[in-house]
Amino acid sequence: MKLAFRFTATLVAAITLALALNAYLRVRREVVLYDQDNASDARTIGRLLGPIVAEKWRNDGFESAALLVATVSDRDELRIGLRALDDSEPGGPQLSPGDLDLLARSGSLTRKERDRRGGPDALLVTYVPISLPTPRRAVLEFS
């Protein structure tokens, strides 16, 4: 009887461990897929919104383009920002030369960043470049 109890307890423990490991791996995989889906959505929105924002910037200036982006951001779950890639904007994206090269080659850049508002978690941030007729460079920032 003791042997049957030990065998049953060992079997239950092994099954519990296997199910816990499976659940952990499944949640990790779902988080990665969710992040990839969010980044893909941000790239798509950025490619569609970018030319509109660039045209608004050309015609009416930066403030008007930023207002357009803020209006779109208010209607969506994503936080969308218009960021200049120069030192004129405090709190703007800190992109290294390698990041800028990757952004130019691939048309977007997604990475985890610390929450600038002071939150404890890292945010998934996607940058999509905007083509401007000026030497100033800018991106749409999705988080």
Side-chain angles (χ1 to χ4, degrees):
M1 192 63 141
K2 287 183 179 182
L3 183 61
F5 176 74
R6 287 182 187 166
F7 179 71
T8 303
T10 303
L11 185 62
V12 167
I15 290 172
T16 302
L17 184 63
L19 289 174
L21 179 63
N22 181 34
Y24 171 76
L25 293 174
R26 181 175 290 187
V27 167
R28 263 186 54 193
R29 184 176 62 238
E30 290 298 321
V31 166
V32 168
L33 290 174
Y34 178 78
D35 286 346
Q36 288 174 346
D37 186 50
N38 276 347
S40 175
D41 291 348
R43 282 191 297 273
T44 301
I45 294 170
R47 288 186 183 125
L48 293 173
L49 186 60
I52 298 167
V53 171
E55 185 67 25
K56 187 74 166 170
W57 189 329
R58 265 186 232 107
N59 294 336
D60 301 328
F62 175 78
E63 290 77 20
S64 182
L67 181 62
L68 173 67
V69 171
T71 303
V72 171
S73 183
D74 287 344
R75 297 180 184 184
D76 199 356
E77 294 175 3
L78 280 173
R79 285 188 322 185
I80 306 171
L82 178 60
R83 304 281 186 248
L85 292 180
D86 53 21
D87 296 331
S88 66
E89 183 182 358
Q94 304 299 319
L95 299 175
S96 69
D99 290 339
L100 293 173
D101 183 48
L102 183 61
L103 184 62
R105 279 188 287 119
S106 67
S108 68
L109 171 67
T110 301
R111 65 183 187 177
K112 288 200 183 250
E113 292 185 357
R114 224 172 23 108
D115 190 354
R116 291 187 206 128
R117 296 174 303 167
D121 296 330
L123 293 175
L124 189 68
V125 180
T126 300
Y127 297 102
V128 178
I130 298 175
S131 299
L132 298 172
T134 65
R136 191 172 187 193
R137 297 186 329 188
V139 293
L140 289 171
E141 178 185 64
F142 297 86
S143 60

